[in-house]
Amino acid sequence: MWPPDPLVMRALILTAPMVATIGLWMARRPSHATMTGMFLATAWQLPPLLLFNALAPEWGWWGFEAEGGLWWGVPVDLLIAWAFLWGAIPALLPRTIPPMLIGVAAFALDLLVIPLCRPTIALNGPSWLLGEAVCIATALMPGLALARWTAERRNLIGRAVLQGIGFGGLLMIALPAAILTASKRPTLDPLLQQPAGLIFIQLQVMLTFAGWGVSACQEFALRGGGTALPQDPTQRLVISGPYAYVSNPMQLSTAFVLFALGFMLQSGPVAGAGLMVVVFSAGLASWHEGLALTERFGAPYRIYRESVRTWFPRWRPWVPYQATLYYDRDCQFCATVARWVAARSPVALTMTPAQNHPRRDLTRLTYNPGDGSPEEEGVAAFARALEHIHLGFALFAFLLRLPGMIDFVQLVVDASGGGPRLVQREPSN
């Protein structure tokens, strides 16, 4: 008889994707890289699925008729089921199948299956199709991209950015939801009852803290050739950007975000999670990371750790190499920018006319890090120069260099007359 008992229905919804995942796993025997991608894709699903399913009743998409095991009003077993259905299973499918075809197949499957899940899932007319499309676009498709890029070890910047966003979603959505549910306060009323202006200011502070952590992830990709994930590590020791000021900027950012969230939500347990991050990072994580990095990088890592603290940032950066900022000496604005930077006594940064570049003609302000890493141009070069001055300017530079932000600011600068102009290299005597 259909529909079955609600508990039986929830058990079926949870079991079916897990059985399918196990079957695919046994059939394909995935590589280590594919398993890492599968793990990341599954974890990616939780924040958007939790958020949109919690908002679905308010937006008229669907609702849930379930008791017990709820996470912000969403059955936990359904979240886990769809995390496997849209995370693990697509990641285990042959990579010859186009992602768009997988997305269409997932949409078609839900068209058939979800109406059968009543009364656990109660659809609200045809508007639920919009919610389905939104969930596929924000959960399934990015997770699949992350899984494939990780398995194939390609698009380093893309997978580093998605890792950062995914971890941020777990940190700012999934973890607080779990803590608030466990502390018997599953709603956001203490936050929503505050003035809108205060909420906006608190969000800005929290997102700023989060941005510094994303900047650290970005530095791993740009300078280290890897990601923060131990299974997808950097190829080089990263000591630039945020790491020139503090040795664990990701953990510091995580702790600050949780402290800020706890203040916003008026929740001591959420703020306490930030303290637990500090305790864990200062203990087991620091010990394990120290052993692993000492084994991989040896003396350079030991010298770095003797110079840069773990939790208390330096005011001036530690830079063991000589960087160069190339500027057009015939451009009054460019020369003014160079003089402004030089007047602030940047650490290990030399101002040199672009005409004296040793290898090529330049078209923008150009930063050479001096450690063999690629040069950076335009607004990114200016931001790198700020990182050589002190922590105050560096914190602004970390946010300025974030993906999307740097592109927007460069576009504004170009539209304001600061576009590229050819500066020809003068032959050396």
Side-chain angles (χ1 to χ4, degrees), residues 47-65 71-75 78-79 86 114 120-136 138 188:
L49 288 180
L50 173 60
L51 179 63
F52 287 119
N53 276 285
L55 293 172
E58 298 292 330
W59 291 351
W61 291 349
W62 55 76
F64 301 99
E65 296 182 12
W71 199 1
W72 269 355
V74 182
L78 267 65
L79 284 175
W86 285 1
I114 291 181
T120 303
I121 304 176
L123 300 178
N124 294 330
S127 63
W128 80 274
L129 298 176
L130 173 60
E132 174 76 7
V134 169
C135 289
I136 287 178
T138 58
L188 298 178

Side-chain angles (χ1 to χ4, degrees), residues 8-80:
V8 175
M9 173 65 74
R10 292 178 67 172
L12 288 174
I13 293 173
L14 176 62
T15 303
M18 298 182 73
V19 170
T21 300
I22 293 172
L24 272 173
W25 180 291
M26 296 178 65
R28 294 190 55 79
R29 301 293 180 181
S31 66
H32 178 78
T34 299
M35 288 189 292
T36 301
M38 182 193 72
F39 168 78
L40 290 172
T42 305
W44 173 277
Q45 308 304 311
L46 292 176
L49 288 180
L50 173 60
L51 179 63
F52 287 119
N53 276 285
L55 293 172
E58 298 292 330
W59 291 351
W61 291 349
W62 55 76
F64 301 99
E65 296 182 12
E67 296 181 1
L70 302 180
W71 199 1
W72 269 355
V74 182
V76 175
D77 38 301
L78 267 65
L79 284 175
I80 296 174

